[in-house]
């Protein structure tokens, strides 16, 4: 259980790059962490919950909330889809990991929970035209089901 002010929503600040002044704030979910600009939208991972927000950058409005599983952290675009690394905790603060994918040709996101004890970090990335997940102090490719392909 968290002490106040948690769980409180976070904010994304809108910075005018010409004047270097903050123009406005956009309220997002709890503990916004990763952000990605893709297809003229800003995508925000709310690591204190289970959502990714899709923000219209013209209106600065959240236009969609997508449930992707607990603890979304980092975002990467690969082949037109958005991949999300996730780290989440039980009531005793034992960590578990997972990866999710927002596939724009599917009705719901693909969610794969790896469970506790999986040696993942918090990253998902594109490298050499493949999608990777941080794993055992390095990176490993993930397959179409979001399973980690063990390099060893």
């Amino acid at each position: 259980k968290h002490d106040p002010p948690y769980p409180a929503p976070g904010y994304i600040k809108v910075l005018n790059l010409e004047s270097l002044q903050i123009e406005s704030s956009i309220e997002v979910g709890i503990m916004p962490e990763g952000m990605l600009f893709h297809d003229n939208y800003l995508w925000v991972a709310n690591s204190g919950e289970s959502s990714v927000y899709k923000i219209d950058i013209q209106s600065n409005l959240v236009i969609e909330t997508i449930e992707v599983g607990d603890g979304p952290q980092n975002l990467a675009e690969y082949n037109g889809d958005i991949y999300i690394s996730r780290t989440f905790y039980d009531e005793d603060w034992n960590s578990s990991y997972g990866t999710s994918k927002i596939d724009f040709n599917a009705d719901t996101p693909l969610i794969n929970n790896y469970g506790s004890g999986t040696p993942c970090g918090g990253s998902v990335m594109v490298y050499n035209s493949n999608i990777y997940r941080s794993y055992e102090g390095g990176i490993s490719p993930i397959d179409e089901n979001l399973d980690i392909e063990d390099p060893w």
Side-chain angles (χ1 to χ4, degrees):
K1 185 171 179 174
H2 298 286
D3 293 326
Y6 297 107
Y11 293 87
I12 301 295
K13 303 293 184 184
V14 179
L15 175 68
N16 181 315
L17 294 176
E18 292 180 15
S19 69
L20 300 179
Q21 299 296 311
I22 294 184
E23 293 182 342
S24 65
S25 294
I26 304 167
E27 185 175 320
V28 293
I30 298 168
M31 297 171 56
E33 193 162 335
M35 294 189 297
L36 173 72
F37 182 73
H38 174 64
D39 283 346
N40 286 325
Y41 295 100
L42 181 65
W43 298 82
V44 179
N46 298 301
S47 66
E49 52 187 66
S50 60
S51 68
V52 170
Y53 280 12
K54 180 181 180 181
I55 299 172
D56 181 321
I57 62 166
Q58 299 303 313
S59 66
N60 293 338
L61 295 174
V62 174
I63 61 167
E64 189 173 1
T65 301
I66 302 169
E67 294 297 317
V68 297
D70 290 335
Q73 290 182 297
N74 292 317
L75 307 165
E77 182 274 330
Y78 178 68
N79 286 340
D81 299 324
I82 296 176
Y83 289 77
I84 305 108
S85 66
R86 298 182 302 106
T87 302
F88 49 99
Y89 303 89
D90 67 16
E91 61 278 349
D92 295 322
W93 293 102
N94 298 305
S95 59
S96 292
Y97 302 92
T99 302
S100 298
K101 176 173 78 168
I102 300 170
D103 178 343
F104 296 102
N105 296 314
D107 292 333
T108 59
L110 177 61
I111 298 171
N112 189 338
N113 291 327
Y114 306 135
S116 62
T118 305
C120 290
S123 298
V124 63
M125 70 216 66
V126 176
Y127 177 72
N128 283 342
S129 301
N130 287 306
I131 188 78
Y132 289 85
R133 183 74 160 82
S134 52
Y135 181 70
E136 289 194 349
I139 60 173
S140 290
I142 52 178
D143 66 19
E144 66 276 354
N145 295 316
L146 306 180
D147 290 322
I148 297 171
E149 297 177 3
D150 195 335
W152 317 114

